[in-house]
Amino acid sequence: MVDTKTRRWINFIVSILLILKADGLYVRITYVENAVAKGAVCLDGSPPAYHLDRGSGAGINNWLIHLEGGAWCNNATTCLARSDTGLGSSKQMFPQIPFSGILDNEQIFNPDFYNWNRVEIRYCDGSSFTGDVEAVDPGTNLHYRGARIWRAVIEDLMEKGMKNAKNALLTGCSAGGLAAILHCDGFRSLMPMHTKVKCLADAGYFINVNDINGKPTIQGYYGDVVNTHGSAKNLPSSCTSRMNPSMCFFPQYSAPQIKTPIFILNAAYDSWQINNILAPVDADLHNTWYECKANIEHCSPNEMQTMQDFRNEFLKAIAGVQSSMENGLFINSCYSHCQSLTQETWLRADSPVLDKIPIAKAVGDWYYDRSPFQKIDCPYPCDSSCHNDIYEFKGHSEA
């Protein structure tokens, strides 16, 4: 850990810088209008979109592509509800969004990627960019075209200079982190041979585990997602050739076969997975897990043991990725979800660390081959550097 005096000093400096940077970097939206003719559209038929902040200096030919998260929709009803939001329609998206963490444009906040071309691809299909159904649903007018969105946006970025990339990093958070895993090798194949390509999945390693009642809830849900969106043909063939395509939505079955180097950034007690996979509302009808899910410090001994069992299953599930030293791991024992997009978790004096190394440095060292990084934290509550999530439940959370 950083010693107390140093931590306080750096915190003071960073606090001043944050005050000076109060307005932050806001990046305008770009609509890919010509994608509509290719059928590459959001759920409601509107064009896909992304936000691009151009690189400069030594980073002018480097590209960081970040895939937005936001869970999934698994049938016509849930997809229809989604189509009237920014997660299903570019008409509902904010015209500007802030870039921070791994997307920040200042060296002190993002030392290895600040001057790259940094892109946030908006998520409006509900399938982690894997869907491709030709027919438009006649009853709802929904379009299931996530894979087409992926291709259309990448083609647009290629035209804007990515075809000349020297370095490229595909990343994403949550459902976008899962997409970064599923599209990792495909992204590599689309880039020039000379380009150094790696992938980073932040909170995208969703595991196949039964809920607190012993039921495979997430398995059935993912099956519905794959069937609704026609995702099977766009999932890694190295996995679908061996098992049911819906199982390939789980990284533990698809990630070990990925040939492109990949970094898994995840909390072992991923708060979204605890809330929606381990103890979903339908499995906890009496709300006995309410306090525990809202704040890990309020878990009973029995609930905490169940959480520790979940961590053990998570560690088993990442073993296949861990076996290759080309891959990176930052698995901390925090109760959190997504740690690369906010400054307090990506790089700050009090941000999470493993062996005194913050996430930004671990990822940067791994990407540039300065040093490998595969670290797994001790069990909760040993890590005092965590920024644990605390929830006030007002509805279903998004991944």
Side-chain angles (χ1 to χ4, degrees):
M1 300 289 178
V2 180
D3 66 82
T4 302
K5 288 184 178 180
T6 302
R7 185 182 293 274
R8 287 175 179 170
W9 181 82
I10 297 175
N11 253 336
F12 173 76
I13 297 297
V14 172
S15 296
I16 296 299
L17 288 169
L18 285 172
I19 291 171
L20 294 174
K21 190 176 180 286
D23 292 333
L25 172 69
Y26 280 79
V27 181
R28 291 196 63 80
I29 197 167
T30 298
Y31 300 99
V32 190
E33 299 286 359
N34 64 3
V36 177
K38 306 172 186 176
V41 292
C42 300
L43 285 169
D44 71 335
S46 57
Y50 62 84
H51 302 254
L52 164 63
D53 189 51
R54 288 286 189 175
S56 62
I60 200 164
N61 287 320
N62 298 337
W63 289 77
L64 188 151
I65 308 299
H66 188 276
L67 302 172
E68 184 183 23
W72 311 270
C73 60
N74 66 328
N75 54 45
T77 300
T78 57
C79 289
L80 185 61
R82 186 184 181 98
S83 69
D84 195 34
T85 73
L87 289 171
S89 171
S90 60
K91 298 175 183 177
Q92 305 297 327
M93 294 174 182
F94 290 115
Q96 297 185 73
I97 62 170
F99 272 21
S100 62
I102 197 172
L103 294 174
D104 202 284
N105 68 335
E106 294 190 30
Q107 188 172 10
I108 190 170
F109 297 111
N110 188 25
D112 285 305
F113 308 109
Y114 74 98
N115 61 352
W116 286 32
N117 298 281
R118 286 153 292 104
V119 181
E120 169 100 347
I121 299 180
R122 301 303 299 272
Y123 179 38
C124 63
D125 64 273
S127 71
S128 285
F129 299 93
T130 63
D132 193 354
V133 177
E134 180 64 34
V136 178
D137 188 321
T140 60
N141 199 36
L142 290 174
H143 303 68
Y144 302 110
R145 305 282 180 75
R148 294 193 196 186
I149 290 173
W150 160 255
R151 289 190 292 269
V153 173
I154 293 299
E155 287 171 4
D156 197 67
L157 293 171
M158 286 290 194
E159 291 294 318
K160 292 184 175 177
M162 196 165 70
K163 62 186 177 184
N164 301 315
K166 178 182 178 182
N167 295 293
L169 177 63
L170 176 65
T171 180
C173 159
S174 196
L178 173 59
I181 293 171
L182 298 176
H183 286 292
C184 185
D185 278 344
F187 182 66
R188 163 69 276 181
S189 70
L190 294 171
M191 300 299 294
M193 287 301 296
H194 67 268
T195 308
K196 181 187 182 75
V197 178
K198 294 187 178 184
C199 304
L200 163 66
D202 178 9
Y205 212 94
F206 301 92
I207 67 170
N208 183 18
V209 65
N210 290 342
D211 66 26
I212 53 176
N213 295 328
K215 295 181 178 179
T217 300
I218 190 62
Q219 226 183 87
Y221 182 84
Y222 274 176
D224 291 341
V225 171
V226 170
N227 291 334
T228 297
H229 292 267
S231 299
K233 59 183 175 289
N234 296 308
L235 298 173
S237 59
S238 58
C239 180
T240 57
S241 63
R242 297 181 294 108
M243 59 179 63
N244 187 299
S246 65
M247 299 299 285
C248 298
F249 232 60
F250 291 106
Q252 66 201 82
Y253 307 123
S254 54
Q257 285 77 46
I258 292 174
K259 296 178 182 178
T260 308
I262 189 165
F263 193 107
I264 304 300
L265 165 62
N266 229 104
Y269 308 89
D270 185 283
S271 57
W272 192 92
Q273 294 193 56
I274 299 298
N275 276 274
N276 296 281
I277 295 179
L278 181 64
V281 172
D282 290 347
D284 184 33
L285 297 178
H286 299 292
N287 285 330
T288 56
W289 273 71
Y290 181 91
E291 293 295 333
C292 177
K293 292 193 299 182
N295 187 334
I296 193 171
E297 293 183 4
H298 297 164
C299 294
S300 70
N302 286 340
E303 289 166 341
M304 199 64 244
Q305 183 56 55
T306 301
M307 300 266 272
Q308 300 294 10
D309 293 341
F310 177 89
R311 174 183 179 271
N312 292 336
E313 290 300 314
F314 185 88
L315 297 185
K316 290 178 186 176
I318 63 170
V321 175
Q322 187 180 7
S323 63
S324 171
M325 287 307 297
E326 282 196 323
N327 296 330
L329 293 177
F330 191 107
I331 310 298
N332 54 11
S333 289
C334 306
Y335 183 64
S336 62
H337 185 68
C338 289
Q339 300 179 86
S340 65
L341 286 180
T342 56
Q343 203 57 55
E344 59 265 28
T345 49
W346 176 245
L347 182 61
R348 206 171 68 178
D350 63 342
S351 63
V353 294
L354 289 181
D355 285 354
K356 301 182 180 180
I357 298 175
I359 296 167
K361 178 170 173 50
V363 173
D365 285 350
W366 166 81
Y367 181 86
Y368 280 111
D369 301 314
R370 294 191 291 254
S371 64
F373 195 93
Q374 287 194 357
K375 305 291 183 183
I376 297 175
D377 212 351
C378 47
Y380 177 88
C382 72
D383 190 343
S384 60
S385 73
C386 283
H387 288 237
N388 292 324
D389 290 338
I390 298 177
Y391 293 100
E392 292 181 13
F393 292 111
K394 296 179 180 178
H396 184 72
S397 56
E398 296 290 359

